[in-house]
Amino acid sequence: MAALEEEFTLSTGVLSAGPEGFLGVEQSDKADQFLVTDSGRTVVLYKVSDQKPLGSWSVKQGQRITCPAVCNFQTGEYIMVHDHKVLRIWNSEDVNLDKVFKATLSAEVHRIHSVQRTEPLVLFRRGAARGLEALLAEPQQSIEAVIPDEEVIKWSEVFMLFKQPVLIFITENHGNYFAYIRLCKSQSLNKYTLVLGKEEKSVKPNFTARVDGKFISLASLSSDGCIYETLIPIYPSDTEKNQRLVRALMLKSVVTGGARNGVTLTILDQDHIAVLGPPLPASKECLSIWNIKFQTLQTSKELPQGTSGQLWYHGEILFMLHGKCLTVIPYKCEASSLAGALGKLKHTQESGTHSMPHFVNWETCSGYELGSNSAVQSRTPRRKKVETNLLPEVPGFKQLLSIIKKDSEKHIEVELRKFLAKSTPDFHTIIGDIVAGLLGRCKEEPSFYPRNCLMQLIQTHVLSYSLCPDLMEIALEHTDVQMLQLCLQQFPDIPESTTCDCLKLFLSVGDDCLRDSNINMESVFDYSDSTQDEKKEMEEQTEIVQNGFGPEDENGSKDSQQLNKKPGDTAQETIAFPVTSCPVAPKRAALLNAVLHSAYSEPFLLPHLKDVPGKHITLFLQYLYFLYLKCTGNATMTLPGVNPPTVSQIMDWICLLLDANFTVVLMIPEAKRLLLNLYNFVKSQISIYSELNKIEVSFRELQRLNQEKNSRRLYSIEVLELF
């Protein structure tokens, strides 16, 4: 499900948008700050949350900015090019661009691309590319010509793939389009010919792209109003030069055919794409979000003042020029599901925004008027008016199995999507056969891993571990933590050995892998906004562990007091780590919570827990201890959030880990204080229950006296002695 939130406008008093709009909107090194470059002389730094500019810089009269400003994420500096060859570098404290760093280059620059975790990449008009550091070391170095003189770069983008930047740019030569892929570290360059329709010879198509496994999925908005997809291999297997790539239909009739102005698109994630353009010949321009997987329109917003045909997105924010104002529209794209695509999920619709399913293959676009009430009235497709040639060809079960055995991952995903959208009476019984076919090919071809297909099948909620035992094994081999989390949440019959393998992976996987994974965070609550009361409570924790019992009550043994007390120790050193700080990152915590929720049998789980490395056991114990402190800090003994671990699950896993690895943990110096804290907590709980047992008899006597209340007279004096 996708939704467009309420829009707002940024002040553009210092900017001058030309006939073609702005040069660009780029992310700054701060999450809420963006660089906006106009088509003239000015760059403005905006803070979106405050809707105001933080700084403005302009070049001299007579000079013109020819390349949008970007941020160097490694240094926090800003970079731009004016008059095609003059490069400027400055920071937010600088006022006058004439006094900042200047370098005159030997060739004209097309674009500077800057992404996280790498240096900016400078793309020249003749197709050559240089890293910023190498270019600054020798600004007048000779720049080679990569593309012929007749070709002109129309679009370019940079992606991070396996920690190396990958540059793609599209060129045009007399109506023919070519794609170039450059791996920046290896300096390899591959050229492909894009086979577009005949109608594209006279009309400029719009491009957007994303990384899809070993391919770059290039989407283009054609003059017929349809979106087409071309899969470009990043590592070509064919040594033939200038290979021809054929496009395939992705979405049909998203805008009116023949639209010339105000039309563009951008991919938001693997399932959603944003389109800017008029949906009907006589209608006003609209911003719409489409679900690629289920071929449905999710939401749209009418733009009565028109646009420049430019659309930028960063994070969950869309930027566009609406009329003469730079407009910001926050958006939300939830995980794609069939219920969400059909509009069956419960959600809140913003005023002025229409969110509804639109089935492009059930009715022609003329049956929908976006931005008006008639769109809502036509939610139910009139099947009697459907032309048969508009219906997609849905493969049968046997045909799908045949496709799985030999076709590409992308083709399988498309055909599977069609198959799942078709209602079949024996749907539950054949899903297992489809998964078995996919997993069988995975074993035969190690490079074949149809992740998107497997995720679609898991989300049907009809699979179990016993139905596809190899699924989690293959996911473990590919370190697919998102799929493993989904399996742990949905499969009720996962063996203890597999649960333990997931636990070991979740504790050992690197932060880079987690950062790039789309993990469900519902079970994790953000504790970063702890209040001063929590800090005060943490200080009091050094004296009072819980419920009024100190770490060393007067009944504690002298041996335990000696154990807790060492020379040089302070009171605060009895806490292993601050109560308000979680020892693991939020995404790792979400994965560990999935393990805590999984079903297990203690006798079968304990032997496998002994194989977990000691440092990972210590980390898991620290996280469980943190959760336990948060639970005991609430009167309800529960954690905030959606479906968080319960205190019983937390205590059970602490006991399991200590039963299986107590000797190992005892020998780890880093775990000593943690064990002492756990010991003190257990001792305080024993004291609590001991005191409760003492007064249990008295409470029973009070209950008995209350039951005899009716037998007494209206007035009496009674004396109760509690010992």
Side-chain angles (χ1 to χ4, degrees):
M1 193 62 205
L4 294 171
E5 299 181 3
E6 185 177 358
E7 64 185 79
F8 57 89
T9 300
L10 297 180
S11 171
T12 55
V14 294
L15 293 172
S16 60
E20 297 183 357
F22 293 125
L23 285 182
V25 177
E26 298 292 335
Q27 177 77 58
S28 175
D29 56 340
K30 304 293 193 303
D32 194 31
Q33 297 179 13
F34 298 89
L35 290 165
V36 181
T37 308
D38 69 8
S39 57
R41 304 168 42 230
T42 307
V43 177
V44 178
L45 177 65
Y46 281 101
K47 186 173 183 181
V48 171
S49 60
D50 293 343
Q51 302 180 32
K52 66 178 183 181
L54 300 179
S56 174
W57 302 270
S58 297
V59 296
K60 286 182 177 180
Q61 188 75 31
Q63 297 176 339
R64 187 170 66 90
I65 300 176
T66 54
C67 178
V70 299
C71 178
N72 185 343
F73 294 102
Q74 294 183 332
T75 63
E77 297 174 317
Y78 308 133
I79 315 162
M80 66 92 173
V81 174
H82 64 84
D83 300 313
H84 301 294
K85 291 185 178 181
V86 182
L87 186 145
R88 298 277 187 176
I89 301 178
W90 76 100
N91 56 44
S92 56
E93 285 77 25
D94 292 320
V95 177
N96 191 344
L97 286 182
D98 285 339
K99 299 181 180 180
V100 303
F101 177 84
K102 170 185 175 182
T104 303
L105 309 178
S106 62
E108 294 186 351
V109 175
H110 170 75
R111 185 71 184 266
I112 301 176
H113 290 283
S114 183
V115 293
Q116 298 280 358
R117 304 192 299 277
T118 189
E119 66 171 330
L121 189 69
V122 181
L123 175 63
F124 291 89
R125 284 196 169 187
R126 305 309 319 141
R130 295 286 190 276
L132 181 64
E133 294 300 325
L135 190 62
L136 294 180
E138 190 180 351
Q140 285 295 312
Q141 62 184 275
S142 177
I143 304 297
E144 71 277 9
V146 174
I147 62 177
D149 294 338
E150 298 81 9
E151 292 185 20
V152 179
I153 299 178
K154 294 296 184 179
W155 176 87
S156 62
E157 190 57 86
V158 169
F159 302 96
M160 287 298 292
L161 182 68
F162 303 121
K163 298 184 180 180
Q164 80 160 315
V166 177
L167 170 67
I168 175 176
F169 57 92
I170 307 298
T171 64
E172 185 264 340
N173 180 12
H174 299 295
N176 298 313
Y177 289 86
F178 306 92
Y180 292 82
I181 303 292
R182 176 185 288 276
L183 301 179
C184 297
K185 286 188 177 180
S186 62
Q187 295 298 317
S188 65
L189 180 68
N190 298 290
K191 180 179 180 180
Y192 303 92
T193 299
L194 301 179
V195 181
L196 303 179
K198 295 181 180 180
E199 70 279 0
E200 306 306 331
K201 298 291 184 179
S202 60
V203 180
K204 170 190 170 184
N206 293 271
F207 297 101
T208 183
R210 68 178 179 90
V211 175
D212 186 3
K214 301 174 185 177
F215 297 87
I216 289 180
S217 174
L218 179 70
S220 59
L221 183 58
S222 176
S223 61
D224 60 1
C226 300
I227 298 177
Y228 294 88
E229 180 186 41
T230 304
L231 293 179
I232 306 175
I234 299 174
Y235 307 101
S237 57
D238 195 343
T239 57
E240 178 187 354
K241 294 184 178 180
N242 199 4
Q243 302 177 51
R244 295 172 62 85
L245 300 176
V246 181
R247 65 181 184 175
L249 181 64
M250 176 185 283
L251 284 170
K252 185 174 182 180
S253 301
V254 296
V255 295
T256 179
R260 296 294 191 271
N261 300 319
V263 177
T264 190
L265 76 166
T266 183
I267 292 179
L268 304 179
D269 57 31
Q270 64 179 3
D271 295 329
H272 298 90
I273 189 168
V275 180
L276 186 64
L280 299 172
S283 65
K284 297 180 180 179
E285 295 178 12
C286 281
L287 172 64
S288 56
I289 297 181
W290 292 75
N291 187 302
I292 304 171
K293 180 183 295 185
F294 296 105
Q295 304 281 298
T296 56
L297 175 62
Q298 296 292 279
T299 185
S300 69
K301 181 184 289 289
E302 191 175 86
L303 305 170
Q305 300 179 32
T307 70
S308 62
Q310 294 175 298
L311 183 64
W312 300 271
Y313 93 100
H314 298 281
E316 292 187 339
I317 302 176
L318 290 167
F319 296 85
M320 69 171 64
L321 190 62
H322 185 201
K324 296 183 179 181
C325 299
L326 181 61
T327 300
V328 180
I329 304 180
Y331 71 94
K332 293 289 184 182
C333 286
E334 301 176 359
S336 182
S337 64
L338 186 59
L342 297 177
K344 299 298 183 181
L345 293 180
K346 294 181 180 179
H347 59 279
T348 302
Q349 300 180 4
E350 298 289 343
S351 59
T353 300
H354 303 277
S355 178
M356 71 285 188
H358 179 75
F359 301 84
V360 298
N361 290 319
W362 284 358
E363 291 194 60
T364 61
C365 284
S366 59
Y368 294 89
E369 298 179 8
L370 302 185
S372 66
N373 293 331
S374 63
V376 180
Q377 295 171 0
S378 60
R379 291 183 59 168
T380 304
R382 298 182 294 274
R383 294 182 178 272
K384 293 182 181 180
K385 296 184 180 180
V386 176
E387 297 180 10
T388 57
N389 59 353
L390 294 180
L391 288 172
E393 182 183 354
V394 179
F397 172 54
K398 292 184 179 180
Q399 182 184 354
L400 180 60
L401 291 181
S402 177
I403 292 173
I404 288 173
K405 292 180 181 179
K406 57 184 179 181
D407 285 14
S408 65
E409 295 178 16
K410 193 65 181 178
H411 186 212
I412 294 173
E413 181 182 351
V414 172
E415 297 302 322
L416 178 62
R417 189 183 305 153
K418 296 178 183 177
F419 182 82
L420 293 178
K422 181 182 68 171
S423 177
T424 56
D426 54 348
F427 178 77
H428 289 66
T429 60
I430 61 179
I431 288 296
D433 293 333
I434 296 175
V435 175
L438 291 170
L439 297 179
R441 185 174 172 185
C442 289
K443 291 185 176 181
E444 295 174 0
E445 303 177 26
S447 61
F448 178 77
Y449 183 55
R451 182 181 184 277
N452 293 337
C453 296
L454 295 174
M455 292 291 287
Q456 286 185 59
L457 293 168
I458 295 173
Q459 290 173 352
T460 60
H461 299 278
V462 300
L463 292 178
S464 63
Y465 182 88
S466 57
L467 195 60
C468 49
D470 296 329
L471 176 58
M472 296 187 70
E473 177 185 346
I474 292 176
L476 285 165
E477 292 176 0
H478 288 81
T479 319
D480 196 337
V481 292
Q482 181 188 0
M483 185 178 295
L484 291 171
Q485 182 196 32
L486 196 59
C487 291
L488 286 170
Q489 291 171 344
Q490 295 194 13
F491 293 178
D493 55 346
I494 300 176
E496 285 77 2
S497 58
T498 304
T499 302
C500 199
D501 290 338
C502 294
L503 175 62
K504 288 189 283 188
L505 177 63
F506 294 165
L507 291 168
S508 62
V509 67
D511 292 335
D512 291 341
C513 180
L514 292 179
R515 191 181 302 112
D516 299 333
S517 300
N518 185 16
I519 295 172
N520 187 340
M521 304 294 292
E522 285 186 347
S523 65
V524 179
F525 182 76
D526 184 12
Y527 298 107
S528 59
D529 54 349
S530 302
T531 60
Q532 296 296 326
D533 292 338
E534 286 179 312
K535 294 181 179 180
K536 181 179 179 181
E537 180 181 337
M538 182 183 69
E539 295 173 357
E540 294 174 352
Q541 195 85 25
T542 61
E543 298 295 335
I544 301 174
V545 176
Q546 185 181 342
N547 293 324
F549 291 91
E552 298 171 7
D553 57 17
E554 58 185 5
N555 295 327
S557 64
K558 295 181 179 180
D559 293 338
S560 66
Q561 295 177 12
Q562 286 295 115
L563 182 64
N564 290 331
K565 189 175 181 180
K566 293 179 64 178
D569 282 357
T570 63
Q572 292 184 351
E573 290 177 330
T574 60
I575 299 295
F577 53 88
V579 174
T580 54
S581 63
C582 183
V584 298
K587 287 192 174 182
R588 197 184 304 275
L591 296 175
L592 295 177
N593 289 350
V595 174
L596 296 180
H597 282 295
S598 62
Y600 64 87
S601 176
E602 183 174 342
F604 294 101
L605 182 61
L606 281 174
H608 299 288
L609 287 177
K610 295 180 180 179
D611 298 332
V612 182
K615 63 178 182 179
H616 295 155
I617 289 291
T618 304
L619 179 62
F620 196 19
L621 280 172
Q622 288 177 338
Y623 175 62
L624 293 171
Y625 175 60
F626 167 79
L627 292 181
Y628 182 73
L629 290 179
K630 287 295 177 182
C631 279
T632 55
N634 296 331
T636 58
M637 295 289 284
T638 58
L639 290 171
V642 179
N643 195 27
T646 64
V647 67
S648 298
Q649 291 171 334
I650 297 168
M651 293 302 297
D652 289 344
W653 272 93
I654 290 177
C655 295
L656 283 169
L657 293 173
L658 292 177
D659 288 345
N661 301 276
F662 182 75
T663 304
V664 176
V665 175
L666 195 62
M667 301 299 292
I668 300 175
E670 294 81 2
K672 183 176 180 181
R673 295 193 182 279
L674 176 63
L675 290 176
L676 289 176
N677 287 331
L678 292 173
Y679 166 76
N680 290 330
F681 268 95
V682 172
K683 188 169 66 173
S684 68
Q685 293 298 314
I686 293 175
S687 301
I688 292 171
Y689 285 108
S690 176
E691 294 298 322
L692 290 176
N693 287 331
K694 291 179 182 179
I695 63 175
E696 183 181 8
V697 177
S698 300
F699 280 119
R700 287 180 179 176
E701 181 65 19
L702 287 175
Q703 185 178 11
R704 184 186 64 81
L705 293 174
N706 186 48
Q707 292 174 351
E708 298 176 356
K709 182 178 179 180
N710 295 332
S711 62
R712 299 188 182 95
R713 297 179 179 178
L714 294 178
Y715 177 78
S716 65
I717 298 176
E718 300 181 15
V719 178
L720 300 177
E721 296 183 4
L722 300 177
F723 299 96

